[in-house]
């Protein structure tokens, strides 16, 4: 198990470019299973979760060629028998993104295998939305005896109307990929409308699908008989952009974040501005200047600032961990309300050990009383519980007095490409041990 050794207190400056979007990559790579023709995807991040998914596709016969962020996938000779092997099931259980293979395989091959996927330890993340959607399209389930594995099959999926029980991003993507080859028309109401779902839909349309309502919560999909190959470029990762804004606020001496696609960031920059962080747009870049102090806004009636996650176009839950770290050095107090996952705030105990003034009210709410840089965080030994808490703790350690050690950094590697090399180039002192 690897760790990061971080020497805190170094000011960072320079330019950094975000990687391709992890969550979009998982969706569009799985979409290559929908056609026998080549699909070329560029700006692919070199991160653990994406690399593991590509390995799973290779294992079932997908040909993968290319390198340096641009890969061509061709799923013309799939080994469907491998889906039921213990090896494949075990590998799927380690990667939550593997669930996105189900929709394409069901649509094109008529069957798939489901096991409980792995991922972050941030509370219960149910898959009911996916399965209810497949059932409405006509799929059937059967448990494999003596195994926590289900087979799902359908001779031919049939379009229908469905109202999703929640605006699940992966659920929406999975159902869309199943519906594009279904017979007839499918309408998905309460669909997720994140930029990455929009990107998936645009890519599928270039492949020959017929999807309308893209960007709204009502998608209409007219089924087609087959899809063709295409090319696609991933958006920059909005979560990495937000992480870099937080890093620049805590320990930056003027940082430019290049090529961020501002129109696809939603309210992320404004969430940091509410904490008093200056985020300046400059063409397709963002610039975060050095600030001696940043002051938290209050609401018009003078009440305490509250930041809460919500489905797009609301604030993504993936950035609340970073925003909490930034708030520890602001002037003022903030109530954070994490609605979507019941264990994601538990990492604040580590920040409290570093000297942060945080009241964890319950599994979903925490109040942060900022230090106004009057008292710096102190170094600690800690462990990364998930991707987003991991990067938040890394930012906290970079701003702290002394040398910190973060273990279980494989979690950070799942979502951030060569992060220590990129931050060291800005002036950080991070060593992988």
């Amino acid at each position: 198990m690897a760790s990061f050794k971080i020497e805190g207190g170094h000011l960072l400056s320079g330019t950094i470019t975000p990687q391709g979007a992890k969550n979009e990559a998982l969706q569009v790579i799985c979409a290559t299973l929908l056609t026998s023709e080549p699909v070329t995807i560029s700006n692919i991040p070199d991160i653990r979760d994406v690399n593991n998914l590509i390995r799973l596709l290779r294992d079932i016969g997908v040909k993968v060629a290319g390198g340096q962020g641009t890969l061509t996938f061709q799923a013309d000779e799939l080994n469907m028998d491998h889906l039921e092997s213990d090896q494949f099931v075990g590998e799927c259980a380690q990667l939550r993104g593997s669930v996105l293979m189900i929709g394409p395989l069901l649509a094109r091959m008529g069957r798939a295998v489901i096991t409980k996927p792995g991922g972050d330890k941030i509370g219960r993340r149910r898959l009911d939305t996916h399965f209810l959607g497949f059932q409405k399209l006509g799929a059937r389930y059967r448990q494999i005896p003596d195994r926590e594995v289900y087979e799902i099959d359908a001779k031919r999926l049939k379009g229908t109307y469905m109202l999703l029980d929640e605006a699940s991003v992966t659920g929406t993507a999975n159902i869309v990929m199943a519906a594009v080859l279904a017979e007839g028309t499918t309408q998905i109401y309460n669909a997720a409308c994140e930029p990455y779902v929009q990107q998936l839909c645009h890519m599928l349309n270039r492949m020959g699908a017929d999807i309308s309502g893209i960007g709204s919560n009502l998608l209409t999909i007219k089924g087609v008989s087959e899809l063709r190959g295409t090319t696609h470029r991933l958006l920059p990762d909005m979560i990495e952009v937000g992480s870099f804004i937080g890093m620049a606020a805590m320990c930056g001496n003027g940082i430019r974040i290049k090529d961020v696609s501002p129109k696809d960031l939603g309210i992320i920059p404004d969430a940091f501005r509410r904490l008093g962080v200056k985020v300046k747009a400059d063409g397709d870049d963002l610039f975060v200047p050095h600030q001696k102090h940043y002051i938290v806004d209050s609401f018009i009636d003078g009440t305490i600032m509250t930041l809460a996650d919500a489905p797009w176009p609301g604030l993504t839950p993936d950035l609340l961990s970073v925003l909490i770290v930034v708030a520890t050095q602001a002037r003022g107090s903030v109530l954070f309300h994490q609605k979507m996952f019941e264990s994601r705030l538990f990492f604040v105990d580590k920040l409290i050990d570093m000297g942060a003034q945080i009241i964890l009210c319950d599994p979903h709410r925490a109040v942060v009383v900022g230090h106004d840089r009057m008292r710096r965080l102190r170094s600690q030994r800690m462990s990364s519980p998930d991707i987003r808490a991991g990067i938040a703790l890394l930012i906290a350690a970079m701003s702290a007095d002394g040398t910190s050690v973060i273990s279980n950094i494989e979690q950070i590697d799942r979502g951030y490409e060569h992060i220590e090399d990129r931050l060291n180039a800005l002036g950080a002192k991070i060593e992988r041990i």
Side-chain angles (χ1 to χ4, degrees):
M1 182 181 291
S3 300
F4 279 147
K5 181 179 179 182
I6 307 104
E7 185 180 296
H10 297 279
L11 286 177
L12 279 56
S13 61
T15 298
I16 192 166
T17 303
Q19 67 191 24
K22 165 185 174 283
N23 291 336
E24 181 187 349
L26 298 177
Q27 295 176 29
V28 300
I29 288 173
C30 287
T32 65
L33 293 166
L34 287 163
T35 179
S36 62
E37 296 185 13
V39 177
T40 301
I41 302 172
S42 60
N43 202 28
I44 298 176
D46 182 14
I47 56 176
R48 186 179 294 263
D49 272 11
V50 171
N51 293 336
N52 285 345
L53 178 63
I54 293 170
R55 188 181 71 250
L56 284 177
L57 265 62
R58 279 195 168 110
D59 287 346
I60 62 171
V62 178
K63 302 180 182 71
V64 184
Q68 294 185 333
T70 299
L71 297 174
T72 297
F73 301 83
Q74 187 166 11
D76 57 342
E77 295 179 348
L78 294 180
N79 178 10
M80 295 300 290
D81 292 337
H82 185 67
L83 294 176
E84 298 179 11
S85 69
D86 289 338
Q87 176 189 347
F88 183 79
V89 169
E91 289 173 346
C92 286
Q94 302 300 315
L95 174 66
R96 183 171 180 81
S98 64
V99 74
L100 288 162
M101 299 170 63
I102 299 171
L105 289 173
L106 184 62
R108 182 170 163 226
M109 310 303 293
R111 66 187 179 99
V113 175
I114 303 166
T115 186
K116 184 178 179 181
D120 290 326
K121 307 304 181 185
I122 55 176
R124 184 168 174 264
R125 305 175 74 181
R126 61 188 183 86
L127 298 175
D128 303 59
T129 303
H130 303 243
F131 303 154
L132 291 171
F134 296 147
Q135 283 183 320
K136 286 183 178 292
L137 291 170
R140 296 165 299 180
Y141 295 87
R142 180 180 70 86
Q143 185 172 12
I144 298 177
D146 304 321
R147 301 174 70 189
E148 291 187 5
V149 175
Y150 289 82
E151 287 182 342
I152 177 171
D153 66 81
K155 290 184 178 179
R156 182 71 191 271
L157 298 175
K158 293 189 177 181
T160 186
Y161 170 85
M162 64 182 79
L163 174 61
L164 301 188
D165 60 339
E166 65 171 345
S168 164
V169 176
T170 54
T172 299
N174 225 348
I175 296 167
V176 166
M177 289 188 284
V180 291
L181 295 180
E183 181 181 327
T185 300
T186 301
Q187 284 193 306
I188 306 172
Y189 197 26
N190 194 30
C193 50
E194 269 80 353
Y196 305 145
V197 175
Q198 297 177 39
Q199 285 279 96
L200 170 67
C201 291
H202 289 309
M203 172 178 151
L204 291 172
N205 278 349
R206 290 195 301 274
M207 295 170 69
D210 187 349
I211 306 171
S212 58
I214 299 172
S216 75
N217 66 349
L218 176 60
L219 294 173
T220 300
I221 305 157
K222 296 180 181 178
V224 298
S225 59
E226 62 180 4
L227 297 180
R228 57 181 177 268
T230 190
T231 59
H232 180 79
R233 181 174 176 81
L234 301 179
L235 288 174
D237 195 308
M238 70 169 79
I239 311 304
E240 195 170 70
V241 173
S243 301
F244 293 154
I245 295 173
M247 175 194 70
M250 287 289 286
C251 46
N253 193 28
I255 292 179
R256 177 174 294 273
I257 310 170
K258 291 282 292 181
D259 301 329
V260 302
S261 188
K263 67 181 180 62
D264 295 304
L265 294 178
I267 64 171
I268 289 173
D270 284 336
F272 285 95
R273 291 180 181 119
R274 287 197 153 191
L275 297 182
V277 179
K278 294 179 180 177
V279 183
K280 300 179 179 179
D282 183 10
D284 210 37
D285 301 348
L286 295 178
F287 181 72
V288 184
H290 173 72
Q291 290 178 250
K292 190 173 182 180
H293 301 279
Y294 45 98
I295 303 170
V296 178
D297 284 345
S298 60
F299 289 117
I300 293 174
D301 61 0
T303 54
I304 186 173
M305 173 59 58
T306 300
L307 290 177
D309 61 343
W312 185 271
L315 180 62
T316 171
D318 284 348
L319 277 176
L320 280 189
S321 302
V322 173
L323 286 160
I324 287 172
V325 169
V326 173
T328 65
Q329 293 300 318
R331 180 186 300 170
S333 300
V334 190
L335 169 64
F336 289 93
H337 192 173
Q338 163 59 269
K339 301 173 184 175
M340 298 175 70
F341 305 110
E342 64 267 22
S343 304
R344 209 164 203 171
L345 292 183
F346 290 162
F347 89 102
V348 303
D349 285 348
K350 300 174 177 62
L351 297 178
I352 293 171
D353 289 341
M354 297 178 79
Q357 293 183 304
I358 302 176
I359 303 167
L360 184 60
C361 307
D362 54 45
H364 293 278
R365 295 176 301 160
V367 176
V368 181
V369 180
H371 288 166
D372 191 23
R373 299 198 192 273
M374 300 298 291
R375 186 167 68 250
R376 285 173 56 183
L377 300 176
R378 53 181 177 263
S379 58
Q380 282 289 320
R381 281 188 168 269
M382 42 201 164
S383 177
S384 171
D386 63 76
I387 302 175
R388 309 310 175 186
I391 198 69
L393 293 174
L394 180 59
I395 293 169
M398 290 164 61
S399 71
D401 275 328
T403 299
S404 299
V405 175
I406 302 176
S407 61
N408 195 28
I409 60 169
E410 288 80 5
Q411 287 284 1
I412 301 174
D413 290 338
R414 288 178 47 218
Y416 293 85
E417 179 179 291
H418 311 302
I419 190 64
E420 74 274 26
D421 296 334
R422 297 160 72 200
L423 297 185
N424 285 343
L426 298 178
K429 299 293 183 183
I430 305 170
E431 180 185 358
R432 184 179 291 260
I433 56 175

